[in-house]
Amino acid sequence: MKNYLKFTLFLVFVAINFASIQAQNGNIAGTISDENGLSVPGATILITSLKKGTTSDFDGHFSLVEIPVGTYKLSITYLGYASVDQEITITDGSTTSIEVFIQPKSLELQGVEVVSYGLGSQAKALNTQKTNMNITNVVSTDQIGKFPDSNVGDAVKRIPGITMQVDQGEARNVIVRGLSPQLNSVTLNGSRVPSAEGDNRNVQMDLIPSDMIQTIEVSKAVTPDMDADALGGSINLVTRTSPQGFRLSATAGSGINVITNKPIINGSFLLGDRSENGKFGWMLSASYNNNDFGSDNVEAEWTDEFEYYSGVDDGDGEPILEEVDVDSYTNVFEQREYLVQRIRRSFSANMDYKIDADNTLFLKTIYNWRDDRENRFALQSEMLDGEDMELGDFTITDGKVTSFLAEVTRETKGGIDSKRNKNRRLEDQRMQNYSLGGKHLLGNLKVDWMSSFAKASEERLNERYIVYAAEYAVLNDNKDTRFPIMTAEDVADTSLDNFEYDELTEENQFTKEEDFNVFVNFELPSNIFGQGDGTIKFGARTRLKTKLRDNNFFEFDFEDDYPTLAATVTRDISDADFLAGSKYLIGSFADEEWLGALNLVDGEAVPDEYLRENYNVKENVFAGYILTNQKLSEKVDMLVGVRIENTKITATGNQIIDEEIVTGEITKESSYSNILPGVHFKYAASDATILRFAWTNTLARPNYADLVPSVDVILGDDEIVLGNPDLEATTSMNFDFMAEHYFESVGLLSGGVFYKNIDNFIYTFVGETADDTYGEDTTGYEIFQPLNGEGATIFGAEFAFQRNLDFLPGFARNFSVYLNYTFISSSANGIMNEDGDEREDVDLPNTTPNTFNASLGYNDRKFSARLSGNFTDSYIDELGGNDFEDRYYDTQFFLDFNANYKVNNSLSIYTSLNNITNQPLRYFQGQKDFTQQVEFYGQRFTFGLKYDLFRK
């Protein structure tokens, strides 16, 4: 750490001294804003006579250095906006400050003036994407407002190459170019977003409302000045910045969830302004969404093995089992009914202060808070073990298992009776980020820096489960393998008196991740090839992270008080409109209010439920980089550089004997460094057509929970879960090619290919013990352990097209289309099956072969509407011990509609209808027809008012 600080101070000293020597001319700095006073990113600023140019950043700021004394014409160009020429005068040793406002332009097609409406946000996104040196996709959330997406996750899924995994119908985990969520980075204003997940690095994208974000930028080929742990890509969320004038915006709306007929309440406001002297800008914003919904769920497990007790024991008194050849069948079936209330709140305060033309400071803050209240009612039927069944206890006809003895349970999930929990499991998730930074000109040296503190937490207190169980014969109906079901052979067995007390538990979970980030970047002018503007950029970064997980679990004995389910207060959950089908009548369960009112004291701790899960991990990353961005010719730009990252990890877990005895803590330390070079080329074939090529190297660090040195023998489930502190970071060498053509009427046609060569990817090995290494009678237990695979490759192609159809006659010119398609092919080596043999022809998990987005929009002076579709192909989600046990995420197609009517320049009415197709979340096992889980959410309808006032 001391050496790292010395290195950083050395960089500062060299940079400042170099700047003082070179500072002989003048500079220019300014801001570019649109007609409403909002920042304009990606504008091209050029002094043609000097061949000097730059682009504006996300805040609309720009600067040019080393300009000889004199008067010049400064040209500002922006796709979809009229060009601006402004005269500037440069004086020796000072910085000239300017503010430029640009206006949308109309086009003349075949002698007719064509005015496009609502394209300002799309223009901002495409201009930023066009002027970026690396391969990116940029989306403005004003543009996203044209889609019915309430959170950032649902917005991101519209971007090419992005696949989202859903939770309760909302997009949560992001997959970039086929790589798992933990292999991608998510940043907020360039500062890493911490994860509240306990066992992985996934950032919960549904935690952040989309209306709190100004721009989403997905970098698919990272540059050396960016964090390298972005194997698939890096997603940067840029919060809203202070306007150049007064702005007031507010929304208020409601709606209904079809599945529960419960209301939706949402609202937001934004208020910002700038002082009369233009130095101090501020913006306050808040968002609120209250959604009371649910889901209808069916789950199953499939097997192709069957055995029963022959009635004979061996010499050791162990039962001898007979095996029977059977077709694949369900041996576990579960039906679930979820009732969920999700309240999402977000608050943000952003400020900037312009000290003078050379120095600006900014503060950006955001606080996201989500309450997720849930009741779950689960009916499960699980076939008894072979030693517990004899002839006559089951029926097999022509290889089809149609009945057997099963343990049937009825479980209620809830929470305590309090103002916060409301008899539901309460998942309290929070994410906060506070960033302080500055931008400075020291002669010809540009310096920018930022320090930030970020924290994510998830707390689940007093989470209660009560289970009643019975044992009886069930009919196993697999005629429709997509919708399997088990029902009682004798209806009398389902009597509530037949369900006996099994267990009552309460658990508490807490996960916290804290990040402290600081970085500094220096940029100097350089013209190595004599072709015009170039730069040399270098800098350093420190990220100090801690991750803590602290859970507990208690069991209570209420058997004497409530011996059967009939002795409790029950509630019939059956619903004839159950979205998976009316045949699924789930029956009665212990009432959640009764469960919440129970006085649970003096519980017995159950250490095997939480000891392995508790850990403390510290991860410190120290990085430095240098790059140069040069013009090789008038049309060709090159960026080349290298990044060095050093990672130090200290992982502490529990040393456990016999599942529940902690004999001490195990601490494992590790350290490694990565050298990560990269090259980017950008060829401007014309003002509208750009070709890009990139060679980059990236990495992904293991999940924290996987690094904890733990051994957990789960006797009741015949399973052993192992940690692996020797896991290596996954690395990837990446090649990208992209061609882009930008339409003058604000649109894009692009296509490209990419290839990733991955080493040491991490997967969960599923095996079987051959002896009693892990304790007495543990032979034959299933082993789960994260391991490094040998290697994997990904090849993919992307296509995107978006354009306003202004070349059509009449009102048809107000239509627009938005299309993108991504193809991915992958292979993985070094994955072992349960017998220890290497599997062949295995796809890398989470690589979806085909992803497609399409939308048709209409936008005139008053009315706008959009119909949007999102398709993702099926893909492997988790690898099992063999092909039959692999878990797949099934095909999904979401169809959404939204519309907006502008009452006047400030007031509009909006409405949206989500999930028109009632698309379920579905997993299948091995074969597409073998449903492992199917969960329906129904449609969601919203409407409301939006008010937006600008004053420059």
Side-chain angles (χ1 to χ4, degrees):
M1 180 67 177
K2 290 182 179 179
N3 291 334
Y4 180 79
L5 291 174
K6 291 178 181 178
F7 173 70
T8 304
L9 292 173
F10 173 74
L11 290 179
V12 175
F13 176 78
V14 171
I16 291 176
N17 278 275
F18 188 86
S20 63
I21 294 171
Q22 298 296 319
Q24 302 297 318
N25 303 309
N27 302 326
I28 181 172
T31 58
I32 312 294
S33 305
D34 66 10
E35 72 279 14
N36 294 316
L38 301 180
S39 60
V40 170
T44 299
I45 301 98
L46 184 65
I47 302 177
T48 307
S49 60
L50 299 178
K51 292 186 177 180
K52 275 188 171 292
T54 188
T55 58
S56 57
D57 62 17
F58 279 112
D59 297 327
H61 296 154
F62 73 92
S63 60
L64 287 168
V65 299
E66 279 195 338
I67 305 173
V69 172
T71 300
Y72 303 94
K73 183 176 72 173
L74 188 73
S75 299
I76 295 95
T77 57
Y78 204 65
L79 186 69
Y81 281 72
S83 298
V84 174
D85 291 329
Q86 185 161 329
E87 188 175 274
I88 57 169
T89 300
I90 303 299
T91 57
D92 186 28
S94 65
T95 299
T96 301
S97 180
I98 67 168
E99 292 184 9
V100 179
F101 293 89
I102 59 176
Q103 300 288 330
K105 69 176 178 181
S106 58
L107 298 176
E108 188 172 297
L109 298 178
Q110 298 178 350
V112 178
E113 184 180 55
V114 177
V115 179
S116 297
Y117 300 100
L119 293 181
S121 58
Q122 184 177 344
K124 292 179 181 180
L126 291 181
N127 273 281
T128 304
Q129 183 171 322
K130 180 183 179 183
T131 56
N132 280 346
M133 184 63 198
N134 61 327
I135 297 173
T136 59
N137 291 110
V138 182
V139 179
S140 164
T141 46
D142 291 331
Q143 181 184 1
I144 289 167
K146 298 176 182 179
F147 298 96
D149 302 325
S150 60
N151 68 69
V152 168
D154 282 317
V156 169
K157 74 183 181 184
R158 312 285 181 185
I159 296 174
I162 301 292
T163 306
M164 298 299 300
Q165 296 176 331
V166 302
D167 175 75
Q168 290 296 340
E170 293 187 331
R172 168 166 289 188
N173 298 320
V174 59
I175 297 172
V176 182
R177 286 183 162 179
L179 289 173
S180 301
Q182 65 268 23
L183 303 181
N184 308 299
S185 71
V186 180
T187 59
L188 189 70
N189 302 314
S191 174
R192 196 62 177 264
V193 177
S195 168
E197 295 281 355
D199 55 357
N200 56 56
R201 295 176 181 263
N202 299 357
V203 174
Q204 297 173 325
M205 301 293 283
D206 57 348
L207 185 60
I208 305 173
S210 60
D211 53 11
M212 300 296 287
I213 302 299
Q214 174 178 289
T215 305
I216 301 171
E217 181 180 34
V218 180
S219 295
K220 296 175 178 176
V222 299
T223 52
D225 56 343
M226 301 171 63
D227 284 340
D229 53 344
L231 218 67
S234 175
I235 300 172
N236 187 33
L237 310 176
V238 182
T239 56
R240 296 184 183 275
T241 56
S242 307
Q244 296 301 308
F246 178 80
R247 185 185 183 189
L248 171 64
S249 178
T251 61
S254 186
I256 192 169
N257 286 290
V258 173
I259 193 170
T260 58
N261 289 323
K262 294 289 184 67
I264 301 169
I265 301 172
N266 60 70
S268 67
F269 87 89
L270 183 151
L271 181 64
D273 201 356
R274 187 163 294 275
S275 62
E276 289 186 9
N277 62 7
K279 287 181 173 292
F280 178 68
W282 57 274
M283 176 171 284
L284 302 175
S285 59
S287 175
Y288 177 85
N289 180 268
N290 188 335
N291 194 3
D292 209 329
F293 60 108
S295 59
D296 295 344
N297 173 290
V298 172
E299 300 188 14
E301 295 180 20
W302 296 79
T303 183
D304 54 5
E305 298 177 351
F306 190 92
E307 56 186 14
Y308 66 93
Y309 178 41
S310 64
V312 180
D313 297 337
D314 62 17
D316 297 325
E318 296 293 327
I320 297 175
L321 302 181
E322 292 284 346
E323 295 184 359
V324 182
D325 291 331
V326 295
D327 297 337
S328 300
Y329 68 100
T330 52
N331 61 341
V332 179
F333 168 79
E334 188 168 3
Q335 181 182 347
R336 298 180 176 186
E337 179 78 18
Y338 288 90
L339 299 174
V340 181
Q341 182 191 34
R342 184 167 289 176
I343 300 177
R344 187 185 293 111
R345 319 164 186 86
S346 187
F347 312 92
S348 178
N350 297 331
M351 288 163 272
D352 63 81
Y353 182 72
K354 185 178 179 181
I355 300 172
D356 54 35
D358 292 330
N359 300 281
T360 301
L361 299 176
F362 63 84
L363 174 68
K364 295 190 175 186
T365 69
I366 190 169
Y367 189 98
N368 298 290
W369 176 17
R370 185 181 70 190
D371 284 339
D372 194 277
R373 297 184 176 93
E374 179 184 293
N375 287 124
R376 186 186 73 194
F377 305 93
L379 171 64
Q380 184 186 79
S381 302
E382 181 173 1
M383 186 178 72
L384 299 185
D385 293 336
E387 58 263 29
D388 297 322
M389 287 195 299
E390 302 181 9
L391 286 172
D393 291 335
F394 58 87
T395 304
I396 299 176
T397 305
D398 296 329
K400 292 180 173 53
V401 181
T402 57
S403 72
F404 45 73
L405 287 179
E407 181 185 48
V408 183
T409 59
R410 293 183 175 273
E411 177 191 76
T412 298
K413 173 184 180 179
I416 62 173
D417 182 11
S418 68
K419 290 182 179 180
R420 288 282 294 139
N421 293 65
K422 299 182 180 180
N423 299 305
R424 291 182 171 187
R425 184 275 287 143
L426 173 62
E427 184 179 82
D428 182 332
Q429 292 183 331
R430 308 189 189 202
M431 191 281 288
Q432 50 195 300
N433 183 288
Y434 310 94
S435 300
L436 176 67
K439 300 175 183 178
H440 311 277
L441 278 178
L442 304 174
N444 65 346
L445 174 69
K446 297 182 183 180
V447 182
D448 69 273
W449 60 274
M450 188 174 74
S451 62
S452 68
F453 172 76
K455 177 181 176 180
S457 64
E458 178 180 289
E459 188 174 52
R460 295 166 60 158
L461 300 180
N462 306 112
E463 184 173 338
R464 294 182 172 184
Y465 296 82
I466 189 166
V467 180
Y468 283 85
E471 187 178 303
Y472 52 77
V474 297
L475 299 174
N476 187 40
D477 185 354
N478 293 160
K479 289 190 291 293
D480 185 352
T481 56
R482 285 181 171 262
F483 292 94
I485 189 172
M486 292 184 191
T487 55
E489 194 170 62
D490 185 349
V491 176
D493 289 332
T494 64
S495 168
L496 300 186
D497 290 318
N498 194 37
F499 282 83
E500 299 177 345
Y501 179 90
D502 186 61
E503 64 177 9
L504 171 60
T505 62
E506 183 175 278
E507 62 180 306
N508 300 283
Q509 302 181 31
F510 178 72
T511 302
K512 177 182 69 173
E513 181 175 314
E514 293 181 344
D515 276 15
F516 176 73
N517 287 264
V518 60
F519 68 77
V520 59
N521 300 308
F522 306 96
E523 184 176 300
L524 288 164
S526 170
N527 189 6
I528 296 175
F529 300 99
Q531 295 294 324
D533 254 2
T535 60
I536 293 177
K537 188 177 180 182
F538 53 97
R541 182 170 198 140
T542 298
R543 188 172 77 232
L544 309 178
K545 181 190 294 289
T546 60
K547 184 94 173 189
L548 172 71
R549 195 176 188 184
D550 186 13
N551 298 350
N552 59 42
F553 190 100
F554 297 92
E555 193 170 34
F556 301 85
D557 186 2
F558 276 68
E559 185 172 7
D560 293 338
D561 300 286
Y562 306 101
T564 68
L565 184 56
T568 71
V569 178
T570 59
R571 176 183 176 189
D572 191 348
I573 309 297
S574 296
D575 181 4
D577 296 322
F578 193 78
L579 294 179
S582 58
K583 67 180 180 181
Y584 295 105
L585 298 177
I586 196 169
S588 296
F589 294 81
D591 181 73
E592 70 274 16
E593 294 185 5
W594 171 84
L595 175 62
L598 291 177
N599 184 25
L600 302 186
V601 294
D602 300 326
E604 180 181 354
V606 187
D608 60 285
E609 291 285 349
Y610 62 86
L611 286 181
R612 177 178 56 86
E613 297 178 347
N614 292 343
Y615 61 83
N616 191 350
V617 175
K618 295 181 180 179
E619 180 182 87
N620 297 332
V621 178
F622 308 100
Y625 75 91
I626 184 169
L627 65 84
T628 183
N629 191 348
Q630 297 291 327
K631 291 189 75 68
L632 301 183
S633 68
E634 185 179 350
K635 293 181 175 294
V636 180
D637 291 87
M638 177 188 72
L639 185 153
V640 59
V642 63
R643 185 180 186 88
I644 301 175
E645 290 197 354
N646 174 257
T647 306
K648 294 183 178 180
I649 298 174
T650 303
T652 302
N654 291 316
Q655 186 171 352
I656 308 168
I657 294 179
D658 233 4
E659 292 188 87
E660 57 185 32
I661 301 173
V662 178
T663 61
E665 291 185 338
I666 307 174
T667 298
K668 178 78 174 181
E669 294 184 355
S670 61
S671 177
Y672 53 89
S673 297
N674 298 91
I675 301 175
L676 305 154
V679 179
H680 299 256
F681 289 96
K682 179 180 178 182
Y683 172 66
S686 68
D687 288 341
T689 303
I690 295 173
L691 304 180
R692 304 177 189 268
F693 171 80
W695 169 67
T696 58
N697 290 271
T698 51
L699 63 90
R701 298 177 176 91
N703 288 326
Y704 309 108
D706 293 343
L707 292 168
V708 177
S710 62
V711 177
D712 189 12
V713 180
I714 308 171
L715 298 176
D717 296 331
D718 293 349
E719 294 178 350
I720 299 171
V721 181
L722 306 175
N724 188 353
D726 298 320
L727 283 174
E728 298 182 34
T730 303
T731 59
S732 178
M733 181 182 292
N734 317 294
F735 298 89
D736 294 84
F737 174 78
M738 184 69 67
E740 302 165 349
H741 179 76
Y742 294 85
F743 298 107
E744 187 180 2
S745 58
V746 186
L748 169 69
L749 173 64
S750 68
V753 294
F754 57 90
Y755 175 81
K756 295 179 180 292
N757 189 354
I758 301 170
D759 285 330
N760 293 319
F761 72 90
I762 297 170
Y763 73 102
T764 300
F765 168 73
V766 181
E768 189 173 290
T769 57
D771 51 37
D772 289 348
T773 299
Y774 296 100
E776 186 178 354
D777 296 328
T778 58
T779 301
Y781 275 34
E782 276 194 302
I783 291 181
F784 299 86
Q785 184 180 32
L787 296 178
N788 285 110
E790 292 179 2
T793 59
I794 293 178
F795 171 78
E798 291 180 353
F799 163 82
F801 176 73
Q802 53 179 299
R803 179 165 181 179
N804 193 50
L805 305 181
D806 48 20
F807 53 86
L808 295 177
F811 79 95
R813 66 166 58 101
N814 295 322
F815 281 99
S816 63
V817 292
Y818 181 96
L819 305 169
N820 61 66
Y821 168 75
T822 304
F823 165 79
I824 292 177
S825 175
S826 70
S827 64
N829 301 317
I831 295 178
M832 303 300 172
N833 63 18
E834 58 191 357
D835 299 322
D837 300 323
E838 183 174 351
R839 295 180 59 178
E840 298 179 354
D841 299 323
V842 179
D843 289 340
L844 191 68
N846 293 314
T847 51
T848 176
N850 300 283
T851 306
F852 181 66
N853 280 290
S855 76
L856 177 65
Y858 178 85
N859 201 331
D860 63 24
R861 190 181 299 274
K862 287 282 190 180
F863 177 74
S864 63
R866 185 173 295 270
L867 183 67
S868 309
N870 173 264
F871 169 84
T872 56
D873 211 345
S874 58
Y875 58 88
I876 291 180
D877 178 62
E878 292 181 3
L879 292 168
N882 53 54
D883 293 353
F884 181 73
E885 295 175 359
D886 288 343
R887 173 185 171 100
Y888 288 79
Y889 198 103
D890 199 11
T891 300
Q892 290 188 319
F893 177 69
F894 291 97
L895 188 64
D896 307 309
F897 173 79
N898 64 306
N900 187 86
Y901 178 75
K902 201 171 184 180
V903 179
N904 55 44
N905 288 336
S906 298
L907 183 65
S908 59
I909 303 170
Y910 71 87
T911 185
S912 67
L913 179 62
N914 291 75
N915 196 20
I916 297 172
T917 57
N918 189 26
Q919 174 64 53
L921 165 69
R922 182 175 182 267
Y923 292 91
F924 61 89
Q925 181 182 320
Q927 300 180 30
K928 196 173 184 67
D929 287 337
F930 289 173
T931 292
Q932 197 169 52
Q933 177 183 350
V934 59
E935 186 169 272
F936 290 87
Y937 309 105
Q939 292 80 21
R940 184 172 71 244
F941 173 71
T942 58
F943 57 90
L945 297 173
K946 182 175 182 179
Y947 180 82
D948 217 341
L949 176 65
F950 301 92
R951 187 173 65 243
K952 289 191 290 185

